[in-house]
């Protein structure tokens, strides 16, 4: 009983070399590299290589991975036909989770070596953007846009989704958002993926578990919820009353708070700056102003409790300004995190141990069965 920690708070579930968070200081590192430096100098593909291989790539190695991702982007035609059959009204996270699972049926390779699994990780990472973009276009009765044979990972996603090549700034902001969402230590979806992987199930099942866990509003689903909240608030002048009302009713404010960060989430700091730059002089500046005021109001009231903005507070405004539908925000999070999930699973399988914790039994003691005729 002494060891019981609801939500496994504070419990150490695994050892990992991939990602480190300093919650008190609000710092994040991938393999020791500060997130701020990776955002400044690296691309999403480079960070994928870093986590999959445990070191930064050379120029040739990076070119090789980029080419591999490009070659694996196209979905089998049957998968595209399947996506077209999904109800247009279904949530894109449900579509993504289902199609991630479907991809397993097209992988007939019985090989379970680290190399074969790394290849699957690359396939999943390459195909997640295609699944999301195709689903979105098909639900709007538009033809899917074939992956671009040259564009980088983030730019190609925007191209397939919006039907035209993004400008350099837009592509770079998406790339940065993807770097920021790539990994985050032992978060709920990564843990979920590891639990599935620890049974020696397969990588597709682990990733489908990750997508399912990410969907919830306490985790990745918060970015979609933030934008809905901004729309509900409507105007910066309504912020204070909205916050007071929510806190009085003990409603959780989406985009605030974190299990590990008890300081400003460094990813939110970075995205806030891009959201600010993108909002300047546009019709979306109202959203930024609401968010900025919301942040001040929340930090004033809840900062001493360690509740600060998290990454989801500003990602929504950034995607919204790119013209992306609100219900695609969480799938975009998944599309970035898939390489993180797979990197953790590949690492965990090097020294696998089945996850099987205990629970405290609180039901009745042993008693005699009562046959149905006597109940
Ligand atoms: N708004 C208002 N109060 C919050 C809050 C928020 N977003 N997040 C935490 N709190 C408060 C709780 O009400 C609780 O207060 P109490 O002790 O007075 O009852 C206290 O902080 C602890 O909250 P708890 O939910 O137990 O902590 P946790 O570690 O389980 O929470 C989250 C982590 C992320 C689930 C939580 O902060 C949350 O629900 N945030 C909103 C959803 C979100 O943005 N998720 C994305 C995370 S990246």
């Amino acid at each position: 009983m002494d060891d019981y920690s609801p939500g496994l708070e504070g419990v150490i579930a695994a050892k990992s070399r991939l990602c480190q968070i300093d919650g008190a200081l609000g710092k994040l590192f991938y393999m020791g590299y500060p997130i701020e430096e990776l955002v400044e100098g690296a691309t999403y593909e480079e960070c994928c290589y870093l986590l999959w291989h445990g070191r930064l790539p050379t120029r040739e190695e990076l070119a090789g991975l980029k080419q591999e991702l490009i070659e694996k982007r196209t979905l089998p035609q049957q998968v595209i036909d399947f996506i077209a059959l999904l109800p247009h009204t279904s949530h894109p996270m449900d579509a993504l989770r289902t199609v991630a699972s479907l991809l397993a049926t097209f992988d007939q390779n019985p090989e379970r070596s680290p190399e074969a699994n790394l290849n699957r990780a690359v396939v999943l990472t390459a195909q997640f953007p295609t699944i999301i973009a195709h689903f979105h276009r098909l639900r709007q009765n538009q033809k899917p846009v074939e992956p671009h044979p040259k564009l980088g990972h983030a730019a190609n996603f925007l191209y397939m989704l919006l039907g035209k090549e993004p400008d350099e700034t837009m592509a770079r902001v998406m790339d940065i958002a993807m770097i920021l969402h790539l990994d985050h230590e032992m978060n709920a979806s990564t843990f979920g993926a590891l639990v599935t992987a620890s049974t020696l199930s397969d990588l597709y099942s682990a990733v489908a578990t990750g997508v399912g866990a990410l969907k919830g509003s306490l985790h990745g689903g918060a970015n979609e919820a933030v934008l809905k909240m901004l729309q509900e608030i409507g105007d910066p002048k309504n912020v204070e009353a909205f916050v007071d009302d929510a806190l009085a009713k003990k409603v959780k404010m989406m985009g605030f708070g974190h299990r590990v960060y008890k300081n400003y989430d460094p990813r939110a700091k970075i995205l806030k700056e891009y959201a600010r730059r993108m909002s300047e002089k546009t019709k979306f500046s109202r959203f930024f102003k609401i968010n900025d005021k919301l942040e001040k109001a929340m930090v004033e009231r809840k900062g001493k409790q360690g509740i600060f903005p998290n990454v989801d507070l500003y990602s929504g405004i950034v995607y919204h300004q790119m013209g992306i539908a609100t219900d695609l925000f969480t799938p975009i999070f998944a599309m970035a995190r898939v390489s993180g999930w797979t990197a953790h699973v590949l690492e965990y399988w090097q020294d696998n141990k089945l996850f099987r914790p205990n629970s405290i039994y609180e039901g009745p003691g042993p008693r005699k069965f009562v046959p149905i005729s006597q109940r």
Side-chain angles (χ1 to χ4, degrees), residues 9 217-220 222 226 247 250-260 262 265 267 298 302 305 307 310-312 333:
E9 185 164 3
S217 62
L218 296 187
H219 193 6
V226 165
L247 294 183
K250 295 219 165 282
V251 172
K252 292 270 187 70
M253 292 287 292
M254 292 293 127
F256 290 93
H258 199 272
R259 176 64 65 78
V260 185
K262 299 304 166 196
D265 177 340
R267 303 169 301 170
M298 275 297 283
K302 295 296 239 177
Q305 233 182 298
I307 297 168
N310 62 49
V311 69
D312 296 311
F333 190 155

Side-chain angles (χ1 to χ4, degrees), residues 274-287:
Y274 284 96
R276 189 187 60 73
R277 275 188 229 166
M278 288 173 79
S279 308
E280 269 167 8
K281 301 193 192 94
T282 73
K283 62 179 172 161
F284 301 113
S285 61
R286 186 170 48 96
F287 277 158

Side-chain angles (χ1 to χ4, degrees), residues 224-238:
E224 182 181 336
V226 165
L227 206 89
K228 288 186 179 146
M229 179 176 72
L230 294 183
Q231 279 157 342
E232 198 186 326
I233 297 174
D235 191 287
K237 72 175 180 336
N238 302 332

Side-chain angles (χ1 to χ4, degrees), residues 77 80 84 88 130 133-147 159-164:
Q77 187 54 46
I80 300 174
H88 290 181
T130 320
H134 282 12
F135 173 73
H136 180 65
R137 291 187 73 85
L138 284 164
R139 72 176 169 169
Q140 294 184 309
N141 298 315
Q142 288 176 321
K143 248 179 88 137
V145 175
E146 299 254 317
Y159 166 73
M160 290 189 297
L161 186 72
L162 304 172
K164 61 174 197 275

